[in-house]
Amino acid sequence: MSWNTLTRQVHRWLSIVFTATVIANFVAMGIGEPPLWVVYSPLIPLFLLMLSGLYLFALPYALRSGQRTSG
C-alpha cells in the first residue's frame, strides 16, 4: 500500500471518528453538563484531519512541480 493510499484511508477513518465524537458531544450536552473530556474530545481527530487534509491538498501540486523539474 502506498503512502498516499494509506493517508487517504486514515483521513476517511478520522472523519468517521470526528463525526462520532461531535455527535456524542451534542448528546452529552442534551443530557446535561458534559465533562470537559467529552467537550474537548473532537479536537484530537480534528487536528489529525487538518494535518492529513493539508497533505492531501498539497499532494497534486507537489507532484506537478516534481514533474516539471525532472523533465
Side-chain angles (χ1 to χ4, degrees), residues 23-35 38:
I23 290 171
N25 201 345
F26 278 109
V27 168
M29 285 182 182
I31 294 173
E33 185 67 30
V38 173

Side-chain angles (χ1 to χ4, degrees), residues 32-70:
E33 185 67 30
L36 279 180
W37 67 270
V38 173
V39 174
Y40 292 120
S41 62
L43 293 179
I44 296 169
L46 181 63
F47 177 72
L48 295 173
L49 271 170
M50 181 188 69
L51 292 178
S52 62
L54 286 173
Y55 171 78
L56 291 172
F57 178 77
L59 189 62
Y61 301 107
L63 292 177
R64 191 176 321 147
S65 67
Q67 290 173 351
R68 201 175 303 148
T69 57
S70 65

